[in-house]
Amino acid sequence: MAETAFQTQYRQEFIHGFEDRQSRLRSTVVTETVIKGNKAVFLVADSGSASAVTRGVNGLIQARADNLTQNTATLKEWHDLVRKTGFNVFASQSDQKRIMQETSMAVINRKIDDDIITVLDTMTNDTGTSAIATLDMIAKSKTILGDNFVPTEEMDNMFGLISPGFDNYLMQVPEYASGDYVEVKPFNGPSRMFHRWYGVNWIVHPRLSGSVGAGGAGTTEKCYLYHRNSVGHAVDKDTMESPVGYDEEQDYSWARCTVFMGSVLLQNSGGVQMKHDSSAYAAS
């Protein structure tokens, strides 16, 4: 006869696994809510760097045309579908239907950011050879934007998109971490989605191209300093869905998340690619 009968206790509330679950970038670009159609056209208008003219000898002022550029974002449909049998839902730990719905939404949120990152990667202005993050690299990037007539003084429209390695190199720069310079203090309380410094909203993203989080070696991470008006993102908000359902005939539950979206580069001059070497901070 056994002297013990140990019991195993399973916690009913599930714990989120470590994965990227939210979109950080949709709020940093020009967005358009599509009502109908598979294309969204963004119009970029300027004078074409025209110069003022004096009146001609005939007494008339020479006329000119505005420089109008139409940029098209082609929408594609993106889905994530999770399915579990009735027995698996019944016999498994925690709320399996809620898990399906939350993980499905996380997949779509990651796709939104990946779509925008793909467009950012087409920018051609860069800081040159890959190097570790410094104040000089950022100053150079901001100078490039200024030389391209980008209104860098528009703090609400300026964004720095950097990797965790880039961020932690900058944490060693007094001007970046000091409370005398930073509005949102990273060492005072929990981490924020972004903090403001040097007239820029800085966002740390783990899945930038070339980064360790995206499966790269971290030797050439593509980080960015850019103005909101350099990238457009279109999404058909009316067709965004995150339903949960049940099939009685086959006895399975499902959760699906669907979005129709597309992104496009509006102004190449509005962003700078900061090539960063974060390999020294990669896990060994």
Side-chain angles (χ1 to χ4, degrees):
M1 181 178 65
E3 296 182 359
T4 58
F6 295 123
Q7 177 176 291
T8 300
Q9 178 67 38
Y10 289 92
R11 187 175 188 270
Q12 286 306 303
E13 184 65 24
F14 70 90
I15 299 169
H16 287 291
F18 293 125
E19 64 176 351
D20 212 5
R21 303 178 56 246
Q22 55 192 328
S23 171
R24 297 169 172 84
L25 303 185
R26 190 177 172 211
S27 62
T28 73
V29 299
V30 179
T31 57
E32 171 64 20
T33 302
V34 178
I35 303 302
K36 193 72 173 176
N38 73 326
K39 296 181 185 296
V41 179
F42 296 81
L43 176 64
V44 177
D46 57 45
S47 69
S49 300
S51 299
V53 298
T54 188
R55 193 177 295 274
V57 294
N58 59 358
L60 300 179
I61 301 172
Q62 182 180 352
R64 66 167 179 83
D66 280 326
N67 180 43
L68 305 177
T69 304
Q70 293 176 298
N71 302 275
T72 302
T74 302
L75 280 70
K76 296 181 180 179
E77 56 176 326
W78 298 100
H79 310 273
D80 183 68
L81 175 63
V82 194
R83 184 183 295 143
K84 296 180 181 179
T85 66
F87 180 76
N88 284 342
V89 172
F90 163 76
S92 296
Q93 184 180 359
S94 297
D95 186 345
Q96 293 295 313
K97 293 182 180 179
R98 179 183 161 199
I99 291 173
M100 287 192 297
Q101 190 171 30
E102 292 194 11
T103 58
S104 183
M105 180 61 73
V107 170
I108 293 300
N109 282 336
R110 287 198 295 272
K111 185 59 188 178
I112 291 173
D113 277 13
D114 290 345
D115 198 59
I116 294 173
I117 290 171
T118 298
V119 170
L120 288 171
D121 285 347
T122 65
M123 290 180 168
T124 58
N125 294 320
D126 62 53
T127 54
T129 305
S130 182
I132 64 171
T134 61
L135 180 58
D136 183 67
M137 178 186 287
I138 295 170
K140 179 178 181 180
S141 300
K142 204 167 185 181
T143 300
I144 293 172
L145 294 181
D147 289 340
N148 286 333
F149 308 105
V150 176
T152 57
E153 70 279 2
E154 295 180 357
M155 186 180 297
D156 289 340
N157 292 322
M158 291 298 302
F159 298 95
L161 180 58
I162 58 178
S163 68
F166 195 114
D167 179 60
N168 282 291
Y169 271 113
L170 287 186
M171 280 298 182
Q172 302 168 55
V173 177
E175 293 85 354
Y176 184 77
S178 173
D180 295 332
Y181 300 92
V182 182
E183 291 184 30
V184 181
K185 302 171 177 58
F187 288 127
N188 184 17
S191 299
R192 312 294 187 190
M193 282 295 293
F194 68 88
H195 68 276
R196 285 187 169 181
W197 168 71
Y198 201 4
V200 176
N201 300 290
W202 296 91
I203 301 171
V204 180
H205 204 297
R207 295 197 330 278
L208 299 180
S209 298
S211 67
V212 176
T219 54
T220 307
E221 297 178 329
K222 295 181 180 180
C223 302
Y224 293 93
L225 186 65
Y226 64 99
H227 190 281
R228 182 191 305 276
N229 291 348
S230 59
V231 176
H233 176 76
V235 60
D236 190 356
K237 189 172 68 172
D238 289 345
T239 59
M240 291 182 67
E241 296 180 324
S242 184
V244 175
Y246 175 73
D247 184 283
E248 292 185 351
E249 181 183 10
Q250 295 295 327
D251 185 26
Y252 66 79
S253 295
W254 56 267
R256 173 176 57 81
C257 192
T258 293
V259 64
F260 302 161
M261 66 176 181
S263 303
V264 63
L265 181 64
L266 302 179
Q267 301 183 79
N268 181 63
S269 59
V272 176
Q273 187 180 109
M274 299 182 290
K275 295 181 178 179
H276 182 245
D277 186 353
S278 185
S279 57
Y281 281 178
S284 57

